[in-house]
Amino acid sequence: MDTTLPAPAAAEPDRGTPAAAMAPIAATQRIEALDVVRGFALLGIFLMNIEFFNRPFASFNEGMPRNLSGVDWLASWFVAYFVQGKFWTIFSLLFGMGFAVMMVRAEQAGREFTPVYLRRVLALAVFGALHFIFLWDGDILFSYAVAALMLMVVLYGRPRPLLLAIAVFVGLGFIPDMKGFFGIAGGLAIAGLISLYLRNGKRVTLRGRSLPVFSAVLLGLGAALCLAAVVFWLLPDGPTEPRGPLSVFGPLVLVAGWLSWKYFDPAELRGVRLGASLYLFGALAMTLGGVLQHYAPDPLAAYAPGGAKAQATAPAARAAAAVVAAAPASAALADGKEPKKTPAKRCAAREAERAKRLAEGRAEKETEIRVLTQGSYGEAVLYRAARFPEKVAGDFGFAVVLIGMFLLGIGFVRSGVMENAREHLPLFRKLALWGLPIGIGLGLAGSLIAMSHIPGDRTDGWGIARGLTMLGNLPACLGYVGLVVLMLHGRTPFARIAVLAPLGRMALTNYLMQSLVCALYFHGYALGHWGMPRAQQLVFVAVVFAAQVAFSHWWLSKFRYGPLEWFWRGYTYRQVPKFRL
């Protein structure tokens, strides 16, 4: 895909707006295909989200519930493999497209962009934080705001302030109970690497070969990770937990370094290539990690006194853990030093730690169910507020994948594909014909391995199944976008999908409205219908979504923007947009 700038006529500012100021676009400047795809994505998001208004969000990574049958099983299966994971990627793609539309129009008109967009991101972060704390902890708006901030770092950040910020967050991570800052530092470091690839064309020479600085860094890092993996596998008494991650990430980073060297040019394709690579890197890491987890020995392996390796069974490890816990303090040596732990005791301690994490996970789900089914609204707010710092730290890791989707979205807009969708229908046809079978097929292949997961079970194949599904989400996402654009520009009754455009124009309002309706209907502090059967949930979605379509048409027949979109634009552009038609 060519990502050079398109050359449509520059957008005219609103009457009375200074030429150097950026202002909201007029309705006639909107790209219809974006609004329709956004409205379609809202349906998929709703189908996915409603399950976790009737099930603890802490069980999100456990797949389909294991007690379903009949039509409820079929409904859950349909959402799990035709919807889940496909629509947040569409929204991420659209977010990148919206970023690019603002950026391209600002460039064409010679207007400021960075301060305006930072205000937009700040407002989105506030919306997301309020959504998470006061309505539902499945929010993704704050995640988008974090990723958008990191995208600004990628495209416009300077090395020295970035290095200083990383050092500060690393330092803060050493404060007790503040380890989340390490995640923020890691996310910023990856953003710096991405920026190095996109914006730095400098090269270094190694053994007579010229390669980009970014590729040299990745190759060196990959070699170091591979060496560390070998060392950890060979050390008989060394830590076992790092073996798997190092064995996966080392080779992947090496391959990424080689590919970035081979396909570094032309510069205009770097964004699209990097966007796809970032997403696929994460999906491949998940899949290979699942393979290693399934087939490699459990790291909780003790060594018999004679030196022969013996796999520690769970009952034996728990018994040893009890012995370790009951050992008196007098076991210390006379000089005050702790005795060296035997392999069996180390294994028992690790098993105890694993059992502790599983118990904490069960307790978290039980607490969430109790709070949302029996607790007051204030208790639910306090519960989510206590979890918000954990979300912030996690979003800096998730942002790496989101940046990949944003870069793909920017490529779609800069190439003119979305703005002139009718002229690119052959491309959208290819996306639909290839993306949907491949993407959904990979997920269905994973379903043959496992559809659900019992926490703590290493051999159920869930890691492989989830990795395959994630691999398929990207092509399926592109396939859905291609399908919607083909329907929109076709000469069949399917062209009526344009009815979703007003819904897409009010995407922020409608997304938060879905959460508000579900929270009031399902949570115990309101109507208390928690636990609605899965098939009935889909009927609920159909009814509410149809009402949202009708409401969006009625609202936009009287007003220029949705209520939250109007506020968002006013804050972003520091002016009060006209509201009524």
Side-chain angles (χ1 to χ4, degrees):
M1 184 187 301
D2 180 18
T3 58
T4 54
L5 283 172
E12 291 295 329
D14 291 346
R15 184 175 298 175
T17 302
M22 204 169 178
I25 63 172
T28 55
Q29 294 177 296
R30 297 192 66 91
I31 301 174
E32 184 186 25
L34 287 181
D35 289 331
V36 175
V37 173
R38 194 177 288 113
F40 175 71
L42 276 171
L43 173 60
I45 290 290
F46 199 3
L47 286 169
M48 184 177 69
N49 286 353
I50 190 172
E51 179 178 10
F52 295 95
F53 283 94
N54 294 273
R55 173 183 176 185
F57 197 82
S59 65
F60 182 79
N61 289 320
E62 295 178 17
M64 292 173 54
R66 290 175 291 279
N67 58 348
L68 298 179
S69 60
V71 68
D72 288 323
W73 182 93
L74 185 62
S76 183
W77 176 84
F78 169 75
V79 174
Y81 295 103
F82 288 81
V83 177
Q84 188 168 338
K86 281 73 176 170
F87 285 82
W88 69 258
T89 47
I90 293 178
F91 249 123
S92 304
L93 195 70
L94 292 168
F95 196 95
M97 292 180 188
F99 174 93
V101 167
M102 285 185 66
M103 182 167 59
V104 167
R105 286 175 172 163
E107 290 172 352
Q108 292 169 346
R111 297 168 179 163
E112 64 176 359
F113 172 73
T114 302
V116 172
Y117 200 77
L118 287 177
R119 289 196 296 272
R120 182 178 179 85
V121 169
L122 176 60
L124 186 66
V126 172
F127 280 131
L130 295 177
H131 180 216
F132 182 96
I133 294 171
F134 291 98
L135 280 181
W136 184 53
D137 51 4
D139 169 77
I140 201 170
L141 298 179
F142 191 87
S143 306
Y144 285 153
V146 170
L149 179 62
M150 288 181 63
L151 182 62
M152 297 295 283
V153 171
V154 167
L155 298 179
Y156 303 108
R158 292 178 295 175
R160 288 184 179 178
L162 179 59
L163 291 173
L164 178 60
I166 293 172
V168 168
F169 284 120
V170 168
L172 292 173
F174 286 102
I175 300 175
D177 299 324
M178 303 290 277
K179 292 182 179 179
F181 284 113
F182 287 131
I184 297 176
L188 289 175
I190 295 175
L193 277 175
I194 296 171
S195 178
L196 186 65
Y197 175 77
L198 288 178
R199 298 164 53 194
N200 191 320
K202 294 181 179 180
R203 306 177 77 89
V204 296
T205 302
L206 293 177
R207 294 189 176 183
R209 294 177 179 269
S210 175
L211 65 160
V213 173
F214 174 84
S215 304
V217 171
L218 279 194
L219 289 171
L221 179 61
L225 292 175
C226 289
L227 179 61
V230 171
V231 170
F232 278 112
W233 279 103
L234 293 179
L235 283 176
D237 295 333
T240 56
E241 290 81 359
R243 292 175 180 175
L246 289 173
S247 299
V248 169
F249 281 101
L252 279 180
V253 172
L254 272 179
V255 171
W258 178 78
L259 289 174
S260 68
W261 176 17
K262 184 174 178 61
Y263 297 103
F264 189 68
D265 294 317
E268 59 269 18
L269 291 180
R270 286 180 200 162
V272 171
R273 287 173 173 172
L274 181 62
S277 298
L278 285 173
Y279 184 91
L280 293 176
F281 184 94
L284 280 171
M286 183 182 294
T287 307
L288 294 176
V291 171
L292 193 64
Q293 182 186 60
H294 186 73
Y295 291 104
D298 192 320
L300 297 181
Y303 291 82
K309 296 181 181 179
Q311 181 71 33
T313 62
R318 283 195 291 270
V323 172
V324 171
S330 58
L333 295 178
D335 59 2
K337 294 182 179 179
E338 290 290 332
K340 184 179 179 180
K341 289 184 178 179
T342 64
K345 287 185 177 180
R346 284 200 301 272
C347 175
R350 292 166 185 161
E351 174 64 26
E353 179 62 27
R354 176 187 285 182
K356 178 183 175 183
R357 290 197 300 268
L358 292 175
E360 288 173 347
R362 289 191 297 269
E364 183 179 353
K365 284 183 280 190
E366 292 170 359
T367 299
E368 185 177 351
I369 293 174
R370 181 189 61 78
V371 169
L372 296 181
T373 58
Q374 304 172 23
S376 65
Y377 177 68
E379 190 176 357
V381 169
L382 291 175
Y383 170 77
R384 289 190 291 262
R387 296 183 58 198
F388 185 66
E390 179 183 349
K391 171 182 172 58
V392 174
D395 279 345
F396 275 84
F398 182 39
V400 176
V401 176
L402 292 177
I403 288 174
M405 297 304 301
F406 291 175
L407 290 173
L408 285 174
I410 291 172
F412 268 92
V413 170
R414 282 188 171 274
S415 64
V417 167
M418 293 306 297
E419 199 159 10
N420 303 295
R422 187 178 294 276
E423 298 177 9
H424 295 85
L425 291 183
L427 170 63
F428 289 108
R429 189 171 293 110
K430 289 180 181 178
L431 290 177
L433 290 176
W434 289 95
L436 287 174
I438 293 174
I440 293 175
L442 282 169
L444 293 177
S447 74
L448 299 177
I449 302 172
M451 294 186 187
S452 59
H453 173 58
I454 299 175
D457 188 344
R458 293 174 49 85
T459 59
D460 61 3
W462 175 245
I464 306 173
R466 194 164 64 125
L468 288 174
T469 302
M470 186 174 176
L471 272 174
N473 287 344
L474 177 57
C477 151
L478 297 174
Y480 276 130
V481 171
L483 180 63
V484 170
V485 173
L486 290 174
M487 292 168 65
L488 176 64
H489 293 286
R491 298 181 179 179
T492 68
F494 291 116
R496 294 179 181 175
I497 197 171
V499 74
L500 299 180
L503 194 79
R505 287 176 59 187
M506 295 173 53
L508 178 61
T509 295
N510 282 308
Y511 171 72
L512 294 177
M513 189 186 300
Q514 290 172 359
S515 292
L516 177 62
V517 169
C518 287
L520 292 176
Y521 191 80
F522 295 113
H523 288 170
Y525 54 74
L527 297 180
H529 293 288
W530 174 281
M532 175 184 281
R534 197 72 177 96
Q536 292 181 28
Q537 293 175 23
L538 271 58
V539 176
F540 184 92
V541 167
V543 172
V544 174
F545 189 77
Q548 285 189 302
V549 172
F551 171 75
S552 299
H553 277 265
W554 173 82
W555 183 273
L556 291 178
S557 70
K558 299 180 179 298
F559 302 98
R560 297 175 185 270
Y561 308 104
L564 294 180
E565 285 76 11
W566 176 81
F567 177 82
W568 194 14
R569 281 163 171 75
Y571 177 79
T572 298
Y573 298 103
R574 293 195 297 187
Q575 59 177 264
V576 180
K578 294 180 180 178
F579 195 30
R580 300 188 65 88
L581 289 174

